[in-house]
Structure formats: C-alpha cells, structure tokens
C-alpha cells in the first residue's frame, strides 16, 4: 500500500481521533502530522497481520497518549491575544462540545468512541484496545449514554 493512499484515506480519521484526545484543533493537526511521520517510517515494517486501519489507529492512539504525557510535563504559557476563526457557529459549537465531552472521558473510552465515530468495526476496536468484542459493544453503549448526559449538562 502506498503512503500517499494511506494519507489520503486516513488523514481526516486520524485527525478526528487526535481531536478526541487533545480537544484542540491546532494541537490535533500537529499530533496527526506526527502520526503520519511515524506511519511513513514504519510502513516498510507493516506485516499485514491486521487491517491497515487497525494498525494506523493504534499508532494514532499511542502517539496521542505520548503527546499528552509530554505536554503535561511542559510549563504552560498563554498567547497574548486570541485569533478568531470564522465558521458556522452552531455546527462548530456542537463539534467543540462533542470533542470537549470526549476529552473528559477516561482514556480507554476516548479511544473506543473515537474509533466508533470513524466507523471502525467493533472487531477492529477490540483488537486495538485488547478488549473482547462484546465488551467493546457494551462500552460503546455506555459511552454514548455518558456523552448524552454530558451534552444535556452543558446545554442547561
């Protein structure tokens, strides 16, 4: 499989998974870009033991966790002023709220729901997370309930 095909087919999916972890569009782009650098370097070693999507999502998840850990060790500073983006305010608000709610979930729940939102099959999610397929199915149901509750709390 060519790297260019992987990049074209998986960029948006990897970006959204990264958003689920970091809840910041600029940071998610950086983490997604670093993920593709890892994929590019590791592609010759890919052994086709799993679906390429499963392999890519595992790399993305591991990279997100590494970046979050690295970020937590760095001192934080604020930018002097905010730069505004212009986009559909309703849709953007819902999207930001979704990523905010996902970011508040425990680590395993974040990866499961991020992969579910990318239409990854539950069998593949089970391989990536190391859980049974039935456990993944139950967790997805419970995570959706949690997200619904969080949405209701923020809408009040």
């Amino acid at each position: 499989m060519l790297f260019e095909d992987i990049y074209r087919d998986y960029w948006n999916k990897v970006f959204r998974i990264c958003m689920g972890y970091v809840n910041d569009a600029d940071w998610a782009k950086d983490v997604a870009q670093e993920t593709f650098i890892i994929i590019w370097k590791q592609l010759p070693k890919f052994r086709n033991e799993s679906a390429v999507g499963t392999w890519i999502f595992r790399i993305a998840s591991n990279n997100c966790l590494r970046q979050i850990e690295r970020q937590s060790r760095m001192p934080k500073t604020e930018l002097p002023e905010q730069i505004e983006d212009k986009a559909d305010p309703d849709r953007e608000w819902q999207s930001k709220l979704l990523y905010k709610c996902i970011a508040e979930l425990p680590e395993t729940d974040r990866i499961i729901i991020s992969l579910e939102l990318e239409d990854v099959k539950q069998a593949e999610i089970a391989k990536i997370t190391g859980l049974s397929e039935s456990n993944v199915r139950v967790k997805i149901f419970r995570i959706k309930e949690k997200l619904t509750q969080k949405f209701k709390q923020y809408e009040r």
Side-chain angles (χ1 to χ4, degrees):
M1 177 171 255
L2 294 173
F3 177 76
E4 291 80 12
D5 294 336
I6 290 172
Y7 188 85
R8 185 188 61 243
D9 294 345
Y10 287 95
W11 168 258
N12 288 330
K13 295 175 181 178
V14 168
F15 171 75
R16 288 189 293 263
I17 287 172
C18 294
M19 272 297 290
Y21 274 96
V22 301
N23 193 25
D24 179 285
D26 291 333
W27 190 15
K29 285 179 189 172
D30 290 344
V31 175
Q33 191 64 37
E34 288 180 25
T35 298
F36 277 96
I37 291 171
I38 295 168
I39 292 168
W40 181 72
K41 288 179 178 176
Q42 297 297 321
L43 189 57
K45 298 176 186 172
F46 179 62
R47 295 175 292 193
N48 287 313
E49 292 177 353
S50 64
V52 70
T54 303
W55 180 68
I56 289 168
F57 295 139
R58 187 74 245 167
I59 290 172
S61 298
N62 288 339
N63 191 34
C64 287
L65 294 172
R66 266 194 309 275
Q67 296 300 322
I68 290 168
E69 183 180 327
R70 196 176 296 156
Q71 182 72 15
S72 69
R73 286 185 264 148
M74 295 178 68
K76 297 188 176 21
T77 58
E78 293 287 326
L79 290 175
E81 59 185 76
Q82 294 287 334
I83 300 171
E84 292 184 29
D85 284 337
K86 296 192 177 193
D88 179 4
D90 288 339
R91 188 156 179 86
E92 186 173 334
W93 179 82
Q94 289 177 333
S95 184
K96 283 183 177 179
L97 181 57
L98 175 62
Y99 285 118
K100 179 181 172 119
C101 292
I102 291 172
E104 293 173 357
L105 295 171
E107 179 184 317
T108 305
D109 291 356
R110 282 191 308 229
I111 187 170
I112 289 171
I113 197 65
S114 295
L115 294 171
E116 172 72 6
L117 291 173
E118 293 302 326
D119 292 327
V120 175
K121 293 179 181 170
Q122 291 179 355
E124 288 186 51
I125 295 172
K127 287 180 187 172
I128 292 169
T129 59
L131 300 170
S132 70
E133 197 172 335
S134 60
N135 195 358
V136 166
R137 191 173 17 263
V138 170
K139 281 189 168 282
I140 288 171
F141 177 78
R142 291 181 181 158
I143 293 167
K144 287 180 178 177
E145 283 183 335
K146 282 184 198 172
L147 289 174
T148 301
Q149 292 300 318
K150 286 180 180 285
F151 255 85
K152 287 178 182 174
Q153 287 175 347
Y154 284 113
E155 287 180 339
R156 289 183 202 161

